[in-house]
Amino acid sequence: MFLNAVVTFLYYVLSAFIAFIILRNIIKTKSAQEAVLYCIMIIPFVLRVLRLK
Amino acid sequence: MKEKGLATVKVIAICLSVVAMILAGAAFYSHRTYKEPVVASEYVTQVKKLSDYFPDLKGTVNDCNIYIFEGSEPGGTVLLIGGTHPEEPGANLTAELIVENLRVKKGKVIVAIRANRSASTVTRPGDAYPQFYHIETPWGVKKFRMGDRWSNPLDSWPDPEVYVHYPSRQMLAYMDIRNFNRTWPGRKNGTITEKTNYAFMQLIEKEKVDLFIDLHEAELEYPVISTIVSHQRGVDIAAMTSMILSSTEFNIGMEYSPKELHGLSHREVGDHSRAISLLYEAPEPFLDRVRGITDERLLLTGKDPFVMKAGEFGLLYENIDENGWPIDVRVGRHASTFLTTLEMWSEFHPDLPIVIEGIPRYNDVIANGVGYYFKDPSAAPENRVFYE
């Protein structure tokens, strides 16, 4: 069970990291289409980090 | 695209994304935290928490209410649980109907409406499951959480590559480590689902439960349907119940619990406690993979042309016609099966009778609708209103 807790914690860290990378890409991209796509992609990661889904 | 135009698109996209996050987040949060009011019958003796039997569960999502009804005369003890799989509403609705209307004359009846509460706080958006369903009552509409088959991943994560059942060490599907009916008899230091099973085993031990009943619903494509699955120690009661109901009210079969299939209540509760374990299955077309539009209407009416078409091709294990399998029929089946089981129990165990009243039978539930039997929480004394 301790290992489960560690994996769960790392999972949330990973989700937050990916959300951060997507946010960074939204800011950096020069393509409007990519920006919209990133905005859709970020939703599940934020909901996951906030423990809503 | 020019710099300014790109910036505008990004700002609009981010704003829309945030709005979507808020809307989705609010929907998930309101479902996860919604409390269903229950008006316990005036004859309820006490309402405990599951953590009273296993303190590790205190404060967790699965610390459900345990409703205890004691008769004025001694007798046997039955434990009935609903909500093992919260995507099977006939189970928790029947358990709640019993809690709100029961009067015990002899023996003791213990009921859990939401045995695995965690699984009732999540649905399957990818399968278009509704988050809630609504039942008409004489005083208004009563709202219930729709759930899933498995505990919420927010409460139990990660799943293993292969789930090794405790204590049999049988290998099962990975996600079934969150399936409350694959984790019996539970484990003291396991996942929250296993701990919940363990807590119920403690309850069975401490309350000296003689008879254990687990309510379910099943898809029509599944062979274990419209039946009572019985541990080998309960086959006499299950067989008599099946025969009497089939000749008087509706067809229901009886099956032996497989000895080599582990984790299920009808196997493990009987093997690891003094209680005889039974499991009831009623038909629920909503669960069929060939179903059409998946919505609250299908959940409550059980009417689906695609499932009917599958029936025409002989692909189902239960009949279905244009009348479907309404929730009143499914709850009525469970209510009558429970009543007949107790009658048979009392005949086979005259020294440990369980005699109850106040619970409607199959025809009553169909005639009046299940909502007729739910009490208005706003008009009930505060000390009888509990939340699931």
Side-chain angles (χ1 to χ4, degrees):
Chain A
M1 286 305 110
F2 172 72
L3 277 180
N4 266 21
V6 171
V7 171
T8 303
F9 175 75
L10 291 176
Y11 177 77
Y12 281 102
V13 171
L14 195 60
S15 298
F17 177 69
I18 293 172
F20 169 74
I21 294 293
I22 295 172
L23 184 63
R24 191 167 159 269
N25 284 355
I26 294 171
I27 295 163
K28 286 204 159 187
T29 184
K30 302 288 180 200
S31 160
Q33 192 178 340
E34 277 186 8
V36 172
L37 191 63
Y38 287 136
C39 284
I40 297 169
M41 280 171 61
I42 201 170
I43 295 172
F45 290 98
V46 172
L47 293 179
R48 197 58 57 102
V49 172
L50 296 176
R51 287 184 56 79
L52 289 166
K53 181 61 185 163
Chain B
M1 188 178 276
K2 287 181 181 170
E3 277 299 304
K4 199 177 172 189
L6 181 64
T8 308
V9 169
K10 285 183 181 179
V11 169
I12 292 171
I14 289 171
C15 288
L16 290 175
S17 180
V18 169
V19 169
M21 278 178 214
I22 291 170
L23 290 175
F28 290 133
Y29 182 79
S30 68
H31 177 256
R32 185 164 163 77
T33 55
Y34 180 71
K35 291 179 177 173
E36 299 168 349
V38 175
V39 182
S41 152
E42 60 187 296
Y43 302 105
V44 70
T45 312
Q46 55 180 325
V47 180
K48 290 187 172 183
K49 303 295 279 187
L50 189 57
S51 60
D52 291 337
Y53 301 93
F54 181 48
D56 265 29
L57 282 183
K58 197 168 182 65
T60 69
V61 66
N62 272 9
D63 192 7
C64 65
N65 293 325
I66 303 294
Y67 302 87
I68 301 176
F69 297 80
E70 287 180 77
S72 52
E73 295 180 47
T77 299
V78 59
L79 166 62
L80 176 129
I81 65 169
T84 289
H85 294 149
E87 61 172 356
E88 299 161 13
N92 56 284
L93 289 177
T94 305
E96 184 164 332
L97 179 151
I98 290 168
V99 165
E100 296 209 3
N101 295 277
L102 182 64
R103 180 180 186 183
V104 176
K105 297 186 83 176
K106 294 179 185 176
K108 185 172 12 173
V109 177
I110 304 171
V111 184
I113 295 172
R114 293 281 192 185
N116 184 11
R117 199 178 162 280
S118 171
S120 76
T121 65
V122 62
T123 62
R124 287 189 226 173
D127 278 15
Y129 276 28
Q131 284 192 304
F132 297 97
Y133 53 93
H134 304 81
I135 301 287
E136 295 277 349
T137 74
W139 45 267
V141 174
K142 193 167 162 79
K143 182 175 165 185
F144 295 86
R145 283 192 310 278
M146 174 59 172
D148 199 358
R149 184 175 176 83
W150 298 282
S151 299
N152 194 332
L154 288 176
D155 302 316
S156 179
W157 188 261
D159 293 341
E161 287 291 315
V162 174
Y163 161 41
V164 180
H165 172 258
Y166 177 85
S168 72
R169 301 203 60 76
Q170 185 167 64
M171 289 192 286
L172 300 170
Y174 73 97
M175 69 287 195
D176 276 342
I177 197 164
R178 288 182 287 115
N179 181 344
F180 187 69
N181 201 29
R182 295 296 182 279
T183 45
W184 292 97
R187 192 156 40 161
K188 196 176 181 179
N189 58 351
T191 64
I192 190 161
T193 317
E194 291 176 304
K195 282 182 178 177
T196 308
N197 295 104
Y198 179 82
F200 273 102
M201 292 303 291
Q202 296 300 302
L203 183 161
I204 289 167
E205 181 74 26
K206 287 174 185 165
E207 297 287 350
K208 296 183 171 56
V209 171
D210 301 298
L211 180 61
F212 171 86
I213 296 168
D214 185 7
L215 302 179
H216 285 259
E217 296 189 293
E219 56 270 50
L220 282 66
E221 294 162 282
Y222 184 58
V224 185
I225 191 167
S226 301
T227 193
I228 304 168
V229 187
S230 172
H231 189 267
Q232 64 270 18
R233 288 193 287 119
V235 290
D236 45 2
I237 294 167
M240 282 302 290
T241 301
S242 159
M243 283 193 286
I244 288 172
L245 286 174
S246 297
S247 62
T248 56
E249 293 182 78
F250 49 83
N251 281 329
I252 186 166
M254 177 259 154
E255 297 181 31
Y256 283 82
S257 167
K259 286 188 178 171
E260 299 306 326
L261 180 54
H262 289 284
L264 294 107
S265 63
H266 49 71
R267 167 55 37 212
E268 307 297 348
V269 173
D271 281 356
H272 292 91
S273 77
R274 62 198 296 277
I276 287 172
S277 50
L278 305 177
L279 184 150
Y280 302 167
E281 290 280 11
E284 186 191 352
F286 181 94
L287 298 176
D288 278 283
R289 302 307 300 177
V290 297
R291 67 180 183 264
I293 297 171
T294 305
D295 57 6
E296 185 178 351
R297 186 202 59 83
L298 173 58
L299 185 68
L300 297 180
T301 65
K303 293 179 184 175
D304 186 279
F306 295 92
V307 180
M308 270 179 66
K309 183 60 80 177
E312 288 170 21
F313 285 99
L315 299 173
L316 306 179
Y317 292 90
E318 176 56 277
N319 296 323
I320 184 169
D321 57 21
E322 62 281 355
N323 296 316
W325 281 97
I327 192 69
D328 299 331
V329 172
R330 286 138 56 190
V331 171
R333 286 179 69 98
H334 277 336
S336 263
T337 310
F338 178 58
L339 290 169
T340 308
T341 300
L342 294 191
E343 286 161 17
M344 291 306 103
W345 167 268
S346 300
E347 279 198 23
F348 281 101
H349 302 87
D351 52 326
L352 290 170
I354 304 172
V355 180
I356 65 171
E357 49 185 40
I359 305 303
R361 294 199 77 96
Y362 178 67
N363 284 331
D364 304 320
V365 181
I366 292 173
N368 298 318
V370 61
Y372 175 81
Y373 299 97
F374 292 138
K375 309 289 188 296
D376 182 358
S378 64
E382 240 176 63
N383 63 349
R384 277 177 41 215
V385 180
F386 300 89
Y387 293 91
E388 295 291 337

